[in-house]
Amino acid sequence: MAIYFLTFILSSLLFAIGGAERSRNTSKSSLSICWIIDVVAVALPCVLAGARDYGVGTDTTTYGQWLFEVADSSSNFSAYLAEVNAGIWDVGLTFSLQAYLSTSIFHSQFWYYFLIELLIIVPIYISIRQHCSNHLIGLTMFLYFLVFYIPGLNLMRQMIAVSFSTLAVSMLVRDKLAYYWICSLLGIMFHTTAAIVLVVFAIVTAMRKRSGSIKVVRKNAKLIGAIVAIIAIFCVLNLQTVMSAISWISDSFDYYSRYANHSEGEMGNAYYIFISILLVGILLLIKYNKLFNDFNCILLTCIIAFSAILYSMGSYLEAVSRMSYYGLAPMVLILAIVFNNYKNRLVLNSGLILVFVACVIQFSWVYVAQGSHEA
């Protein structure tokens, strides 16, 4: 995993250099150099994705490899589409289209996976850039890589959808509704589970139509944020106990209660440790930066807390636990908003330390240690 960590560092350093130069010098020549730096920074993790072992990951070895082989052997798009529609995997038209285009042009697995990773990273980078314009964009991207890069190598379709959904939420909090709908539709076209982002739109619209409700939220934002986080953590940590208490309703609960702690899940109970530390760190960051009256920060924190609930429901259906990424991804937006307040210097505090520790735990414990054990 050393190559992954090194790539994260190099890419993040380039993002930081580009961000620092962009905030310091706005001349056309300087901005051109910044764009070149950004392109290289984006390309590095994409190159790693293209050069990885294609035999690792369930989704990669099933529909990922299958789509490439079908696209590479098809004489035209009609024949390709017919074979895809007749296949056992529902990969969606949008993902099928990009797979066909990349394969028919390059005829290479390297470029096939390179472009998939590009579709994952670019929307996230744009989302972060909308809220953070200094060198700390590099640190935000580094934390993003730690948490999301490894899943993106396997959950290709869904992680593309997660990225576009995150960009949609970013557009929503900036009141750019037209772009919100475009990004939301793109996400849904890649994976229908991205429709969950429409719930966020409904909540925000309802709150904004009731100015009184917004005032109440802003007035009690600190309390609301803390309560949501505590409830989410309590639910996920005590789900097994709660379900055991009501097991008399049906014998089926005996089955579910054994797995309610998600010990058989993709990321295990370590995810709960990660999300608990992350939420506390984010709340502290919001406190230190006096952003508890910021409706967007509280909204994003609530979305992250909700991701823990989705993950805990994976004991019923694994696909639901994977939807937790939609709730977790807005962490990059909160970090970008907070880091933008730091201007040209990084303020080290307990909140930032906790967020960093949480992301390191997710990468080293969940992805590296547990992944190596499973392998």
Side-chain angles (χ1 to χ4, degrees):
M1 283 294 177
I3 185 63
Y4 289 94
F5 202 72
L6 179 61
T7 302
F8 298 164
I9 292 175
L10 290 176
S11 179
S12 301
L13 283 175
L14 289 174
F15 280 124
I17 293 171
E21 181 63 25
R22 189 177 287 105
S23 62
R24 183 172 56 250
N25 193 338
T26 58
S27 65
K28 289 185 178 180
S29 59
S30 177
L31 292 178
S32 298
I33 294 175
C34 290
W35 278 114
I36 294 174
I37 294 174
D38 288 344
V39 168
V40 176
V42 169
L44 286 176
C46 294
V47 168
L48 182 60
R52 64 190 164 119
D53 184 354
Y54 307 133
V56 176
T58 304
D59 291 17
T60 304
T61 55
T62 53
Y63 76 81
Q65 182 67 19
W66 173 72
L67 266 183
F68 172 79
E69 292 174 354
V70 172
D72 197 38
S73 60
S74 298
S75 57
N76 54 63
F77 183 67
S78 297
Y80 165 76
L81 200 58
E83 189 167 350
V84 169
N85 291 333
I88 62 174
W89 290 288
D90 179 17
V91 294
L93 178 61
T94 311
F95 191 82
S96 301
L97 178 60
Q98 70 82 26
Y100 177 78
L101 291 175
S102 61
T103 304
S104 60
I105 294 174
F106 298 106
H107 298 281
S108 166
Q109 280 185 293
F110 172 85
W111 289 108
Y112 172 65
Y113 290 109
F114 179 99
L115 293 174
I116 290 175
E117 190 64 34
L118 189 68
L119 286 171
I120 296 175
I121 293 179
V122 169
I124 290 294
Y125 174 64
I126 295 174
S127 302
I128 296 172
R129 270 287 306 277
Q130 290 181 330
H131 301 278
C132 182
S133 58
N134 56 33
H135 68 286
L136 291 177
I137 191 173
L139 178 57
T140 311
M141 288 299 299
F142 180 73
L143 296 175
Y144 165 79
F145 287 141
L146 289 177
V147 177
F148 293 96
Y149 185 80
I150 299 298
L153 296 179
N154 184 43
L155 308 178
M156 298 168 289
R157 286 179 57 220
Q158 191 159 8
M159 292 310 292
I160 293 175
V162 167
S163 294
F164 278 109
S165 297
T166 304
L167 182 55
V169 172
S170 177
M171 295 296 181
L172 181 60
V173 299
R174 298 182 72 222
D175 293 320
K176 294 186 175 182
L177 295 184
Y179 290 108
Y180 162 80
W181 285 111
I182 292 173
C183 295
S184 296
L185 290 175
L186 283 172
I188 294 171
M189 289 169 66
F190 274 101
H191 206 288
T192 52
T193 56
I196 195 173
V197 77
L198 301 179
V199 177
V200 179
F201 174 79
I203 294 173
V204 172
T205 301
M207 295 299 292
R208 285 177 175 172
K209 284 184 176 180
R210 298 182 177 183
S211 57
S213 298
I214 293 181
K215 290 179 181 178
V216 171
V217 170
R218 287 176 175 170
K219 184 178 180 179
N220 300 281
K222 182 176 181 179
L223 178 62
I224 292 173
I227 289 176
V228 169
I230 291 172
I231 290 176
I233 296 171
F234 175 83
C235 287
V236 297
L237 292 180
N238 294 277
L239 186 60
Q240 185 176 21
T241 303
V242 173
M243 293 190 68
S244 297
I246 60 176
S247 60
W248 56 271
I249 296 177
S250 171
D251 292 337
S252 63
F253 277 106
D254 292 334
Y255 170 81
Y256 290 130
S257 63
R258 291 197 300 270
Y259 297 95
N261 63 358
H262 221 79
S263 59
E264 299 297 323
E266 290 183 310
M267 293 180 282
N269 287 325
Y271 182 85
Y272 297 143
I273 298 175
F274 156 70
I275 197 67
S276 301
I277 298 175
L278 179 69
L279 282 170
V280 173
I282 286 175
L283 288 172
L284 288 175
L285 279 175
I286 293 175
K287 174 187 175 183
Y288 290 142
N289 288 272
K290 300 178 180 179
L291 293 172
F292 269 119
N293 289 325
D294 188 308
F295 175 73
N296 292 331
C297 281
I298 299 304
L299 171 68
L300 295 171
T301 303
C302 292
I303 293 174
I304 296 172
F306 182 67
S307 72
I309 304 297
L310 288 174
Y311 182 77
S312 68
M313 295 172 67
S315 54
Y316 298 95
L317 186 63
E318 184 177 298
V320 178
S321 69
R322 290 184 172 188
M323 289 176 65
S324 62
Y325 287 113
Y326 291 103
L328 183 60
M331 63 170 270
V332 300
L333 302 181
I334 292 184
L335 294 176
I337 292 171
V338 170
F339 290 159
N340 197 54
N341 286 349
Y342 289 165
K343 303 304 178 185
N344 292 319
R345 64 189 183 90
L346 176 64
V347 179
L348 190 64
N349 53 53
S350 57
L352 179 57
I353 292 174
L354 286 176
V355 169
F356 186 83
V357 168
C359 294
V360 170
I361 287 176
Q362 185 73 347
F363 178 76
S364 60
W365 185 0
V366 177
Y367 299 143
V368 178
Q370 290 188 182
S372 298
H373 176 72
E374 291 296 326

